[in-house]
Amino acid sequence: MSIFSSGQIWAAVDWGADSYKAFLIKKGNLVDTKAGEQGVLKVEDQAFEVTLRQLIDSWLSAHGEFPIILSGLVGAREGWVEAPYIHTPCSSVEIQGGVVTVPTNQLKNVFIVPGILHTGEDYPEVLRGEEVSIIGAIKEQALSDGWILRPGEHSKLVRVAEGGVSLLSTYITGELFKLLDQYSSLSRHSGIEQKTSSIDFMTGVRTALKSGCLSKVLFSSSTRRLVSQIEAEHVSSYLSGLLIGHEFRDLKSMGLDDIVVVGSGQLMELYQLAFDELSIKTTLLDSDRAYLSGAQLILESLGVDS
Amino acid sequence: MSIFSSGQIWAAVDWGADSYKAFLIKKGNLVDTKAGEQGVLKVEDQAFEVTLRQLIDSWLSAHGEFPIILSGLVGAREGWVEAPYIHTPCSSVEIQGGVVTVPTNQLKNVFIVPGILHTGEDYPEVLRGEEVSIIGAIKEQALSDGWILRPGEHSKLVRVAEGGVSLLSTYITGELFKLLDQYSSLSRHSGIEQKTSSIDFMTGVRTALKSGCLSKVLFSSSTRRLVSQIEAEHVSSYLSGLLIGHEFRDLKSMGLDDIVVVGSGQLMELYQLAFDELSIKTTLLDSDRAYLSGAQLILESLGVDS
């Protein structure tokens, strides 16, 4: 029985280190969202239940009890209840099987989704939070074999084989961009409001594609401005292109030529430009849709009444 | 006539964006140094002469007038007087020829050394400040052909051909380390005082040497700690190894097997470990010695009485 068509009410909360995003589903429709800075690292004295009730207070007042699916750092060692990592290769069913029921006082039916651990040849790889969107994307695309990329602060690349997760990489592309754009010498002399330039973004992508060494190529943000090859107001666009180009150089080195991208917003337009440059075919899937599709799949597997 | 043997008094100031380091030479000996945070970007209303006098006030009181060689951002567009870049390929003599005499009110014989601009195939490269040490290293090592590396916030690699500078690269390795170690998610959960571990440093070097993608490999700082492959107190050492390993991967790709390294302090011991791993033969030259040797060469070329 599909919960989307059942008239039930349920919620899903992507509860990360520094922020949260919550979704309320009623009769199969997304009826409300909430988002804020109340991340897991800001919850003191393990007051997770109280905090969660505050975050979705108006929903509880209006609807009473309903099942809640939690994902993200909330299920890590430093979170509410640890949901141990599921090891690759793993299917959606195995991930669903690792869902942990949270012991609560006033709330009922609170569940935490486990992360995924990949023991690589050189070092381990993990994701926690993104597994919900990944499950959703596999379902939405009826994907048996292929690649999924979920860009963000930490961009996650997942290899799908036989409908499950077989390989996993993390690119800290978004976080590097924020650090360099806010704090580094590459941008500090500009002090000029930045405008998006897809031309300079693509110059950055192409420059990075030619060089394997990010710590070398990054300095070109300074030198190109110095000799007026880029305007001061376009340094951020160029820097973004360098970082995404560096990530894409690695994607291309794996030989992938077809990818499902889970994302939304203006950044996806820039990603699309870069994928076109590399002649990689992309299917774009809205990140909220992928997340809710995955959360629904998990809820169905739990067989909970609400 | 060598100024080191002449009994003259002179000073050299490496005056960068965020800090300065000043050297006083008397009868060929280094007799005093001063250093502080009064970088070029903190000088307001072009008050460079007043600021310089304050920085070396006690030296002026004790010795009266003496020639002063300035290098670094002080000679850039945003500095005191612009000393235009000398283009590669360039000899030490050509760099000396680009020295600019600063118009002053109370001080006499103040000179600014020009930077070097390399018009690369893909993007330009520059250095400003490091040229003094480079000239000094070429002289000290009687180097006709070879490579010089000057590690730092921005690590500079110089190809020396026919005794001059023919090629130039900048790795922002040190700056990336500071940003990631201070502000990133890779280190924020530790909150633990860091201890130097050469073993974890070398694990970082070897991990980076295997991977061309820095934004991917950096995340292993988090995951190795998560699965206890490195201790929380050694995350900074591992991170440093990843960044230096990434830089060295690029050095190795150029086929260089013999290098002059201009530097000092504990970091040089770690660099030496990484060079040994790559079987690159190194000659270590103290950075102050290289700087003063270069500054002396410049002063001699100016033919100034002091």
Side-chain angles (χ1 to χ4, degrees), chain A residues 12-22 36-43 47-53 55 68-76 79-80 110 112 128-129 291:
Chain A
V13 184
D14 189 10
W15 205 353
D18 301 317
S19 61
Y20 78 96
K21 186 166 184 182
E37 304 296 306
Q38 191 64 22
V40 168
L41 296 180
K42 288 175 198 140
V43 177
F48 286 101
E49 184 173 349
V50 172
T51 306
L52 177 60
R53 286 178 56 91
L55 296 182
I68 304 170
I69 304 288
L70 304 179
S71 64
L73 194 72
V74 67
W80 188 351
V110 178
I112 296 183
R128 193 178 272 286
Y291 184 78

Side-chain angles (χ1 to χ4, degrees), chain A residues 134-155:
Chain A
I134 301 297
I135 292 174
I138 291 172
K139 175 185 159 196
E140 292 277 318
Q141 298 294 315
L143 199 65
S144 175
D145 290 278
W147 295 90
I148 299 171
L149 182 71
R150 190 181 181 289
E153 289 265 302
H154 290 181
S155 192

Side-chain angles (χ1 to χ4, degrees), chain A residues 244-264:
Chain A
I244 290 173
H246 182 67
E247 177 185 330
F248 278 39
R249 190 177 194 274
D250 201 60
L251 300 187
K252 193 67 183 176
S253 75
M254 295 177 200
L256 64 87
D257 53 12
D258 193 342
I259 195 164
V260 176
V261 183
V262 177
S264 54

